[in-house]
Every structure is written in structure tokens, then in C-alpha cells.
Amino acid sequence: MVKIPVRAERNYQVSIGVEWRSVISDISSRYTQILIIAPQSMKDLLSLDDDRTFFTADGESQKDIAEVVRVWDRLGELSIGRKGAIIAIGGGATTDLGGFVASTWLRGIDWFAIPTTLAGMVDAAIGGKTGINTSAGKNLVGSFYSPQSVDIDLTFLETLSDRDFAAGLAEVVKTGLIADTSILTLIENCNSLKEIRQISSELIAKSVAVKSGVVSSDFREGKVREILNFGHTFGHAVEKMSGYTLRHGEAVSIGTVYALYLSEELGELDPVVTERARGILTKIGLPTHSKEFEWDGLLGLMHGDKKAHSGSLRFIGLAGIEKPIWLESVPEAAARRAYERICR
Ligand SMILES: NC(=O)c1ccc[n+]([C@@H]2O[C@H](COP(=O)([O-])OP(=O)(O)OC[C@H]3O[C@@H](n4cnc5c(N)ncnc54)[C@H](O)[C@@H]3O)[C@@H](O)[C@H]2O)c1
């Protein structure tokens, strides 16, 4: 088992290679009251005790205030007190929801994350960002509220569809681009998604090490942590405009290529890096271009993004691999030119 520490408002560990049922038994022995939150679509797979499990809507639709109210009601019915705890088991949408509910119930109770998707294992469950969406955009309501632990059971990847596995790889590639080129090489050395699956544990350990290191140095996203948003400003806008029919990682893949084009447009990046990244994303089977989304809508959403400052466009770009940069006050004309290349 690999254990990686995270320093945040409390210190905790990410454990890679656990057996999830033992983790639940252990947590249950330490708390008098537990509510497990899991997606309805995993009900058969998990076969959990219905009395203490809240089954959520599937996918992004669970990150909604109506779903939060339903969980609050269930916590009330079960009279979960300050000494109770929540266990969120599922993909990134479920851990985002579970963490958010935990942060708001009785002004904060303990919670535990058991991520079951690759995106959850390498990204969403780590770092204490919890949240839900609003009609104005993604993750606009939320909290910084760390779990007590993140426990990764790699056997969950066996049932994960190729589509969801590939979507999770978008975050792995992002991590490689901003901070660890060895991740990119590992993927480049594989000839198929099947081969990439075989090196999952190595990719997860490397990605978690980067994320926990960045989060530990800047938990509340003063500045350094913003590098993890590489590809996400355009990606979130695309994801919202798709009506969440695109997986988060698919939108991030398009957003990654956009951020690279923008870095080129602003004279910071050698196009060779963009081509390398595009090659990796394409090999994984992720989208890198789309004509589907009109510019005005995307622009409006990007202006409303949490990372925008006083109405000006801001992005994380790259000056090279492992060299993230802050692109401040980006002129709309440059942003538009990068968009036009995404439409090709
Ligand atoms: N908090 C953060 O720092 C952070 C970081 C990255 C992403 N996110 C959020 O994470 C979400 C995306 O996460 P995701 O890609 O895991 O999506 P998801 O949670 O919607 O899960 C995708 C699908 O996989 C299914 N699934 C989950 N585990 C499975 C398994 N083991 N076997 C079979 N099916 C399984 C789910 O039921 C769902 O249908 C987005 O909402 C994104 O905003 C948050």
C-alpha cells in the first residue's frame, strides 16, 4: 500500500491499494452514526446496507442544491449528530457532493472519501474542494473542507467503463503537463487504453503525489494551487454548454488543448508541446477539438468563472512542460483566436 500525506486545515492521508469494505468497517467502528453517500448507478455493484446509505442521482445531476436538501433531510431523519460521519463513495461528483454536505451539516461533521473513478482517485477526492453547480456555472457554491482520509481501492477501476477511465486520464495528462513529465512518457509508452489500465497504480501514485504537494503548499488556492486549474476555465465552459453530456474529463481535454493554443497565441509556448499533448489525448481517445459551442456563450461563462478577476480573462497556461504560468488580462482577440483553432 502507498500512503501519501496531505497538509490542509487538518493533516490526512491518501492510501492507495486499500480494500474498501475494510475501510468502511473500520470507520463504522469509530463513529456511532454513519451515512454513506453513493450513486444509485452503483447500487448493485456496492450492495450496501440500504438503511444507512443515501443513493444519489447519477453523474453531474447530483451536484445540485435539490440533492443537497435530500441528503440534509436524510441526515435529519437519522438524527446524525456532531459525532456522526459521512462516507462518500463514488466518482468525483459524489465526493464533491458528500464533502459539501459534510461541511454544512451542523456546521461541519467528519467525512471520508472513497473514490471509485480514476478522476476521483487522482483529483476530485483530494484537496478538500467540495461543491455543487448552479444555473450560472460549475462548482460556484462550495467549501474548502478536507476529508479525514482518502482511501483508494484500485479494484474499482475494473468496472469503470473505458469512457470514464479515459475521462479520468485527462486529469492525469494535465498533471503530467504542469508538473511531472514522467507521467506523459509512461502514457506515451503504452499502445492502447488496455495497456494504460495496466499501469494505473503508478499513474495514480504520481498524480496524487503532485496534487497533494500542491494542495499542501496552498490549501485555499492563494495562487500556487491555481496551476491545477490548467485546462479548466475553457473546459468548465464547454462542459456547462454541453448540458453536462460531456464527461468532465472530456471537457478538460478540449480545455487543455485550448490553454495550449492560448499559450502559443500569447507567445509563451513552443507548438511542439501542444502537438505532443494533442497526440497523447488523441491516443487515449479524448476529444481535443469541437465546433459545437458558440463563442459568445463560452466567453460569458469564462467571465463568470471563479478564476476571473474583475471581469478580465485569466487562464493558467504553459511556458513549457512542467512550467505553468498565469495568463492575466488575456485580450479577447487572443482568446478568440485560440477558440477558432479548437473549432477546426
Ligand atoms: N473537488 C475537486 O477538486 C474536483 C477535481 C476534479 C473534478 N471534480 C469533479 O468531479 C466530477 C467528475 O468526476 P467523475 O469523472 O468521477 O464523474 P462522476 O462522479 O459523474 O462518475 C462518472 C460515472 O462513473 C460511474 N462510476 C463511478 N465509479 C464507478 C465504478 N467503479 N465502476 C463503474 N461505474 C462507476 C458513476 O456512477 C458515473 O456514472 C465533476 O463534477 C468535477 O467537477 C472535482
Side-chain angles (χ1 to χ4, degrees), residues 35-48:
L35 181 68
I36 300 170
I37 300 180
Q40 178 73 32
S41 60
M42 293 184 74
K43 191 171 181 177
D44 291 344
L45 184 74
L46 299 171
S47 67
L48 287 160

Side-chain angles (χ1 to χ4, degrees), residues 39 41-42 45 58-60 63 90-94 96 116-117 119-120 123-124 126 129-130 138-139 156 159-160 164 171 211 225 236 239 247-248:
S41 60
M42 293 184 74
L45 184 74
D58 198 35
E60 204 62 25
K63 287 176 61 171
T94 306
D96 275 8
T116 62
T117 61
D123 197 2
I126 301 157
K129 272 191 187 179
T130 79
K138 260 191 76 90
N139 300 333
F156 276 121
T159 51
L160 196 64
D164 282 304
E171 302 284 6
K211 176 133 193 195
R225 186 172 173 164
H236 277 164
E239 188 182 359
R247 291 285 195 256
H248 176 70

Side-chain angles (χ1 to χ4, degrees), residues 23-318:
V23 172
I24 291 192
S25 305
D26 176 57
I27 298 167
S28 305
S29 69
R30 289 187 281 127
Y31 290 83
T32 43
Q33 297 163 300
I34 294 281
L35 181 68
I36 300 170
I37 300 180
Q40 178 73 32
S41 60
M42 293 184 74
K43 191 171 181 177
D44 291 344
L45 184 74
L46 299 171
S47 67
L48 287 160
D49 176 1
D50 279 7
D51 289 345
R52 58 178 197 158
T53 308
F54 178 93
F55 289 103
T56 67
D58 198 35
E60 204 62 25
S61 55
Q62 67 199 276
K63 287 176 61 171
D64 187 281
I65 190 63
E67 198 73 351
V68 173
V69 171
R70 288 182 55 219
V71 191
W72 283 335
D73 287 346
R74 187 75 186 124
L75 287 162
E77 279 163 22
L78 295 171
S79 306
I80 302 266
R82 282 231 166 86
K83 296 205 163 127
I86 286 175
I87 303 173
I89 174 164
T94 306
T95 50
D96 275 8
L97 170 74
F100 180 64
V101 169
S103 75
T104 50
W105 185 250
L106 304 180
R107 300 195 177 84
I109 62 170
D110 288 354
W111 77 286
F112 297 81
I114 304 182
T116 62
T117 61
L118 182 59
M121 294 174 187
V122 297
D123 197 2
I126 301 157
K129 272 191 187 179
T130 79
I132 56 171
N133 306 326
T134 76
S135 52
K138 260 191 76 90
N139 300 333
L140 291 180
V141 173
S143 54
F144 287 96
Y145 194 69
S146 296
Q148 297 294 315
S149 66
V150 178
D151 292 287
I152 298 177
D153 184 334
L154 296 165
T155 62
F156 276 121
L157 297 178
E158 290 164 15
T159 51
L160 196 64
S161 66
D162 279 348
R163 183 180 181 190
D164 282 304
F165 183 77
L169 283 173
E171 302 284 6
V172 175
V173 172
K174 170 201 82 177
T175 308
L177 287 169
I178 59 171
D180 185 353
T181 189
S182 74
I183 290 178
L184 304 179
T185 310
L186 277 171
I187 299 176
E188 283 170 325
N189 289 341
C190 294
N191 291 314
S192 62
L193 210 53
K194 195 173 164 197
E195 280 186 29
I196 302 175
R197 277 184 182 270
Q198 284 160 5
I199 56 162
S200 295
S201 62
E202 199 176 352
L203 293 174
I204 291 168
K206 281 178 181 285
S207 303
V208 170
V210 169
K211 176 133 193 195
S212 59
V214 172
V215 167
S216 297
S217 70
D218 178 19
F219 173 53
R220 286 192 173 267
E221 200 166 280
K223 182 154 185 183
V224 175
R225 186 172 173 164
E226 287 185 329
I227 64 171
L228 298 170
N229 297 327
F230 177 70
H232 281 61
T233 303
F234 192 80
H236 277 164
V238 162
E239 188 182 359
K240 169 100 171 63
M241 280 191 79
S242 79
Y244 299 107
T245 54
L246 281 183
R247 291 285 195 256
H248 176 70
E250 292 164 349
V252 166
S253 175
I254 298 172
T256 295
V257 176
Y258 178 85
L260 294 168
Y261 283 155
L262 190 61
S263 304
E264 282 182 29
E265 286 294 333
L266 298 172
E268 304 284 355
L269 184 68
D270 184 338
V272 168
V273 174
T274 310
E275 281 319 297
R276 183 175 177 195
R278 269 190 351 106
I280 295 170
L281 294 167
T282 305
K283 173 195 223 162
I284 292 167
L286 286 165
T288 55
H289 291 80
S290 178
K291 288 184 186 151
E292 266 179 51
F293 310 106
E294 48 93 19
W295 175 242
D296 288 346
L298 292 170
L299 188 63
L301 285 164
M302 290 195 291
H303 272 300
D305 189 270
K306 301 187 293 304
K307 275 88 71 188
H309 280 185
S310 338
S312 75
L313 287 171
R314 290 178 85 236
F315 297 85
I316 299 300
L318 280 193

